């Protein structure tokens, strides 16, 4: 007897020797439902029913939500909205997104690189942004180093080494964004900065072009630079060698620069610079002057002396000379001793009456023509 959904079946067994029989029951058939599609059953569950006659079976399971889609972006004035959809029954639910808030600082969790927006900047960063600032891998580092070296080929007095490089990206909703204005980026103190005359941050674009950024080395050794675009940035250490041939500079300063023994530097990028104080210089008489490449005018530059180092800020491209000076007795106006500056003591006797001094006003400025006249006076005598 075949089983049905309503009745058990029956199996008969026969003894092969005496033909005696016995029977055993067969379980009723289990009903295999013909199910409806899943449909929402409230905000927590979905449900499906059996479509067969005389069957009241049903199943209920919790919703399975997808990752959600932002269906309304938040603003500073209104909340946003994320819509989630059940992947089984297509039921939806919404969750609010907090209003966005402008922030003036964000720090990358993977490298401690910090972005700061100053009050006068048009840049905008919201608190839903994520900052990624990772050091580049070896392959990218090699490409950046090659680009930096190529950019310094035309600067024979400068040697640049890439100390480190970062790939800086600002993300909102998993998409890269730009700040829309100038921001300050501060990276942790790189190693070996003491080995260089100055530290410079450069932007390296996808074509390998190198653009210097305004750079500051802070007291704690961290480096801050300004930019309005996030991409690859390299921290480079620059070593300058003193000018030993001034033939390419303005003609009116050639004679002086050729005699400034290892103390004149052709600086092409703004920034903070550190040089060794010449061994025979008196700290109390040391001065730093900027020499304009076009006019030959000398302008005194503020500087600091620390641990036999001369430190100053170059605010424009020019020749910068470290000079030993003297102070006149009469009016305390600074005077530059041409004998000391040009190393011409061997040419002029100590008791010579030749005028080898040039007046410098209280602002530290003097006329290059006076210097050249003194040189001619030395030569004539």
């Amino acid at each position: 007897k075949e089983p049905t959904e309503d009745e058990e079946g029956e199996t008969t067994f026969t003894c092969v020797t005496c033909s005696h029989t016995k029977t055993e029951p067969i379980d009723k058939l289990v009903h295999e439902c013909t199910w409806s599609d899943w449909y929402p059953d409230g905000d927590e569950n979905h449900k499906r029913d059996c479509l067969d006659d005389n069957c009241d079976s049903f199943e209920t399971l919790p919703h399975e939500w997808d990752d959600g889609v932002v269906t309304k972006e938040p603003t500073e004035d209104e909340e946003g909205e994320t819509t989630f959809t059940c992947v089984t029954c297509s039921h939806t639910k919404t969750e609010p997104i907090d209003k966005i808030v402008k922030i003036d600082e964000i720090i990358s969790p993977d490298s401690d690189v910090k972005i700061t927006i100053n009050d006068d900047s048009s840049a905008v960063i919201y608190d839903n942004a994520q900052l990624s600032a990772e050091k580049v891998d070896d392959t990218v580092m090699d490409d950046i180093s090659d680009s930096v070296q190529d950019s310094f080929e035309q600067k024979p007095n400068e040697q640049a080494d890439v100390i480190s490089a970062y790939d800086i990206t600002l993300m909102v909703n998993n998409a890269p964004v730009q700040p829309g204005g100038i921001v300050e980026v501060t990276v942790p103190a790189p190693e070996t900065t003491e080995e260089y005359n100055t530290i410079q941050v450069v932007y390296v674009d996808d074509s390998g072009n190198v653009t210097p950024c305004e750079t500051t080395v802070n007291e704690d050794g961290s480096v801050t630079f300004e930019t309005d675009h996030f991409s690859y940035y390299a921290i480079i250490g620059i070593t300058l060698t003193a000018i030993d041939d001034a033939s390419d500079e303005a003609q009116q300063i050639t004679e002086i620069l050729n005699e400034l023994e290892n103390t004149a530097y052709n600086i092409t990028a703004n920034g903070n610079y550190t040089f060794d104080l010449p061994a025979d210089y008196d700290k109390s008489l040391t001065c730093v002057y900027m020499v304009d490449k076009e006019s030959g005018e000398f302008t005194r530059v503020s500087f600091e002396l620390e641990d036999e180092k001369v430190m100053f800020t170059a605010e424009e491209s020019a020749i910068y000379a470290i000079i030993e000076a003297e102070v006149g007795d009469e009016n305390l106006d600074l005077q530059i001793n041409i004998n000391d500056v040009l190393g011409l003591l061997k040419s002029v006797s100590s008791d010579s009456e030749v005028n080898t001094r040039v007046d410098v006003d209280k602002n530290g400025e003097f006329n290059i023509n006076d210097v050249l006249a003194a040189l001619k006076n030395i030569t004539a005598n």
Side-chain angles (χ1 to χ4, degrees):
K1 180 182 178 180
E2 293 292 335
T4 67
E5 293 181 9
D6 298 320
E7 293 184 354
E8 292 180 338
E10 189 176 80
T11 301
T12 299
F13 299 88
T14 302
C15 177
V16 296
T17 304
C18 69
S19 300
H20 184 66
T21 62
K22 71 174 183 176
T23 59
E24 291 184 0
I26 303 173
D27 292 340
K28 295 179 183 178
L29 296 179
V30 176
H31 177 63
E32 294 184 4
C33 291
T34 304
W35 293 108
S36 68
D37 293 332
W38 291 99
Y39 61 90
D41 185 27
D43 291 332
E44 300 298 327
N45 302 306
H46 46 245
K47 182 180 180 181
R48 65 177 181 175
D49 302 313
C50 179
L51 301 177
D52 296 329
D53 293 338
N54 301 319
C55 182
D56 297 327
S57 298
F58 64 87
E59 291 182 344
T60 302
L61 293 172
H63 289 305
E64 298 180 53
W65 302 112
D66 63 9
D67 293 332
V69 175
V70 177
T71 48
K72 180 182 178 182
E73 294 288 348
T75 68
E76 294 178 63
D77 300 318
E78 293 185 353
E79 292 182 335
E81 190 174 80
T82 301
T83 299
F84 299 87
T85 302
C86 176
V87 297
T88 302
C89 71
S90 300
H91 185 59
T92 60
K93 69 173 182 177
T94 59
E95 292 184 0
I97 304 173
D98 291 338
K99 296 177 183 178
I100 53 177
V101 178
K102 288 183 180 180
I103 57 176
D104 55 17
E105 181 179 287
I106 184 171
I107 299 176
S108 171
D110 48 13
S111 61
D112 290 333
V113 171
K114 178 174 68 176
I115 293 177
T116 305
I117 300 176
N118 293 326
D119 292 339
D120 57 352
S121 174
S122 61
V124 176
I125 298 178
Y126 292 108
D127 61 353
N128 62 339
Q130 298 88 40
L131 175 61
S132 171
E134 298 179 345
K135 288 189 176 181
V136 301
D137 59 31
D138 291 342
T139 300
V140 176
M141 187 69 165
D142 290 342
D143 291 340
I144 289 176
S145 296
D146 290 343
S147 298
V148 169
Q149 295 304 323
D150 290 344
S151 72
F152 276 81
E153 282 186 356
Q154 304 305 318
K155 301 177 181 180
N157 297 109
E158 298 183 24
Q159 172 64 43
D161 299 320
V162 178
I163 301 173
S164 59
Y166 290 87
D167 181 6
I168 300 177
T169 306
L170 190 67
M171 306 285 288
V172 174
N173 296 330
N174 297 318
V177 296
Q178 299 297 343
I182 298 295
V183 298
E184 288 186 350
V185 181
T186 300
V187 301
E191 298 178 358
T192 68
T193 55
E194 298 83 1
E195 300 177 7
Y196 302 98
N197 296 127
T198 190
I199 300 298
Q200 178 75 58
V201 175
V202 296
Y203 161 53
V204 184
D205 67 18
D206 293 338
S207 299
N209 299 312
V210 175
T211 305
C213 302
E214 185 171 333
T215 305
T216 301
V217 179
N218 305 307
E219 290 186 1
D220 63 356
S222 61
V223 178
T224 298
F225 63 94
E226 293 187 348
T227 185
D228 61 357
H229 181 82
F230 299 131
S231 183
Y232 289 124
Y233 287 87
I235 303 172
I236 62 175
I238 300 176
T239 303
L240 281 75
T241 55
I243 296 174
D244 56 9
D245 181 2
S247 59
D248 293 335
E249 305 302 334
Q251 182 62 37
Q252 59 264 50
I253 61 174
T254 298
E255 296 178 54
I256 294 179
L257 295 180
N258 280 337
E259 298 294 338
L260 290 175
E261 300 175 354
N262 299 322
T263 63
Y265 300 89
N266 182 14
I267 293 179
T268 60
N270 299 353
N272 300 318
Y273 288 80
T274 302
F275 297 96
D276 292 328
L277 180 70
D280 57 347
Y281 271 33
D282 186 333
K283 287 185 178 181
S284 65
L285 302 179
T286 298
C287 298
V288 177
Y289 279 84
M290 180 183 73
V291 187
D292 187 276
K293 296 178 183 179
E294 299 297 328
S295 67
E297 180 180 352
F298 278 55
T299 303
R300 194 174 183 184
V301 176
S302 297
F303 67 98
E304 294 182 7
L305 287 171
E306 182 178 335
D307 297 331
E308 306 303 320
K309 300 286 186 180
V310 180
M311 296 168 287
F312 61 89
T313 299
E315 297 182 351
E316 57 184 286
S317 175
I319 304 296
Y320 288 80
I322 302 171
I323 298 175
E324 190 174 29
E326 291 184 359
V327 178
D329 294 332
E330 295 181 359
N331 56 13
L332 295 182
D333 276 355
L334 188 66
Q335 294 184 320
I336 300 298
N337 190 319
I338 298 301
N339 295 332
D340 292 340
V341 175
L342 305 179
L344 296 178
L345 283 171
K346 61 183 179 181
S347 301
V348 182
S349 64
S350 59
D351 58 352
S352 172
E353 296 181 357
V354 174
N355 180 14
T356 62
R357 305 187 75 78
V358 176
D359 290 331
V360 181
D361 65 24
K362 291 183 175 64
N363 294 322
E365 298 183 359
F366 59 87
N367 192 307
I368 186 64
N369 293 323
D370 293 342
V371 177
L372 294 179
L375 283 172
K376 291 178 181 178
N377 198 13
I378 294 172
T379 304
N381 288 273

